[in-house]
Amino acid sequence: MNHQGQAIDFFGSSIDLTEIVNFLRKNMQLKEVCQKILYQKIIEQSAQETGLTVTPEEIQAEVEHLRRTKHLEKATDTFAWLAEQMLDVEDWEVGIRDRLLEQKLSQSLFGKEVEKFFTQNQLDFDQVLLYQLIVPYEKLCQELFYQISEQEISFYEAAHLYDIDENRRYHCGYEGKLYRWNLKPEIATVVFGARAGELIGPLPTDQGVHLLIVEEFIPAELNSTRYQDILDRMFTHWLECELNYLLHSYHHNENNSIR
């Protein structure tokens, strides 16, 4: 792959860099790319201010980890994969270095805040394993509630036959694991106050009239996946705020220079 000049060689075809920018612009992707570039500049500056660095040994360790993950056992396999990705070894290592630096900075800034955030917002991380059926009319919903309560029909059979949503009918009402914020507030209040196995409803909303069953309540736990998710969200929010401040300062200086 050729990085020199104003064009990129794509497997024998030359693509001008202006074409790439125009493609991103007309497909409304240029803003996102520019944001990510500015995010990287913010990360670089903040890491420098806090004295964070990534060592060659750390980069090499991550290279070996990625090779094992992608089953690139031989050097020739690695070079072939890099060619497919339009990368050379230097590009790859620079990208790895950037990601490791981002991880170090996010951990440095917010690693000690994650547990506190989780504790303060623990209710938001509780989950339910939920089944739901929605029908268009309250009279039908009340009739189904009666039939299910009297065991004339099972909840799952009723969902399969009557739910307004085709996908939910196919899955007999199965919604999966949901957080409190996945549900409408008026539904969440009732669902998280119910007992496992209890038939809930009828509950009218703008979607229709609901019947629900909680199969299992899943209390929030700060496992490694949730820790990383919270850390990523806090770091992303910080980056957005830093970028907004940067852009605001730029516009403020531009306006002052015009006066």
Side-chain angles (χ1 to χ4, degrees):
M1 182 178 61
N2 179 25
H3 291 281
Q4 306 300 319
Q6 299 299 311
I8 290 179
D9 178 49
F10 182 69
F11 300 105
S13 296
S14 181
I15 301 177
D16 192 88
L17 294 182
T18 304
E19 292 182 74
I20 296 174
V21 172
N22 288 338
F23 177 86
L24 293 172
R25 180 180 286 116
K26 72 181 182 181
N27 286 282
M28 294 183 289
Q29 296 174 349
L30 186 59
K31 179 182 177 181
E32 181 182 353
V33 172
C34 290
Q35 282 179 331
K36 289 182 178 180
I37 292 172
L38 290 175
Y39 285 160
Q40 188 59 46
K41 291 180 180 292
I42 292 168
I43 291 169
E44 292 283 350
Q45 181 177 343
S46 298
Q48 186 175 3
E49 290 172 355
T50 53
L52 294 173
T53 59
V54 177
T55 67
E57 291 76 18
E58 289 172 324
I59 295 173
Q60 189 57 40
E62 183 64 13
V63 165
E64 295 304 320
H65 170 72
L66 291 172
R67 286 184 63 185
R68 289 192 300 271
T69 301
K70 298 180 182 299
H71 306 292
L72 304 173
E73 298 176 3
K74 301 177 182 177
T76 51
D77 297 332
T78 302
F79 288 124
W81 177 80
L82 287 172
E84 288 178 3
Q85 306 304 314
M86 298 180 65
L87 293 170
D88 57 28
V89 173
E90 183 179 353
D91 292 330
W92 193 31
E93 291 184 349
V94 169
I96 288 172
R97 178 259 180 197
D98 289 347
R99 288 191 294 275
L100 291 176
L101 189 63
E102 178 178 332
Q103 291 170 12
K104 282 192 173 186
L105 182 61
S106 65
Q107 185 65 42
S108 172
L109 292 175
F110 301 109
K112 295 180 180 179
E113 301 296 319
V114 172
E115 187 172 348
K116 178 181 177 182
F117 178 87
F118 174 78
T119 301
Q120 292 174 341
N121 299 274
Q122 190 164 346
L123 287 179
D124 293 333
F125 295 99
D126 288 337
Q127 290 178 289
V128 288
L129 189 59
L130 189 69
Y131 283 81
Q132 174 175 224
L133 74 87
I134 305 175
V135 294
Y137 309 114
E138 187 160 0
K139 185 176 180 180
L140 173 59
C141 196
Q142 289 173 340
E143 178 62 24
L144 290 173
F145 181 90
Y146 173 80
Q147 292 181 11
I148 294 167
S149 299
E150 295 298 317
Q151 299 182 349
E152 295 176 10
I153 188 174
S154 73
F155 178 94
Y156 314 105
E157 184 180 0
H160 182 65
L161 292 173
Y162 296 104
D163 199 296
I164 60 175
D165 182 78
E166 181 180 355
N167 184 61
R168 207 163 37 236
R169 284 200 306 273
Y170 178 78
H171 291 96
C172 299
Y174 180 69
E175 292 279 22
K177 291 181 182 179
L178 299 178
Y179 290 102
R180 187 182 300 266
W181 45 265
N182 290 135
L183 301 168
K184 289 179 174 293
E186 62 270 31
I187 297 288
T189 300
V190 178
V191 164
F192 280 89
R195 301 184 306 274
E198 178 184 353
L199 181 59
I200 304 167
L203 297 176
T205 70
D206 55 0
Q207 292 177 290
V209 191
H210 305 240
L211 289 177
L212 309 102
I213 288 181
V214 176
E215 182 172 296
E216 180 186 358
F217 288 97
I218 306 168
E221 178 187 355
L222 188 58
N223 53 31
S224 58
T225 300
R226 181 162 287 128
Y227 178 94
Q228 189 62 49
D229 178 59
I230 295 172
L231 183 64
D232 290 344
R233 285 161 54 187
M234 296 177 79
F235 186 65
T236 298
H237 178 69
W238 174 79
L239 279 175
E240 290 170 350
C241 292
E242 289 293 306
L243 179 57
N244 287 336
Y245 176 78
L246 185 68
L247 295 177
H248 177 76
S249 299
Y250 171 79
H251 289 306
H252 178 73
N253 293 334
E254 282 285 296
N255 291 334
N256 286 341
S257 65
I258 294 173
R259 293 172 184 171

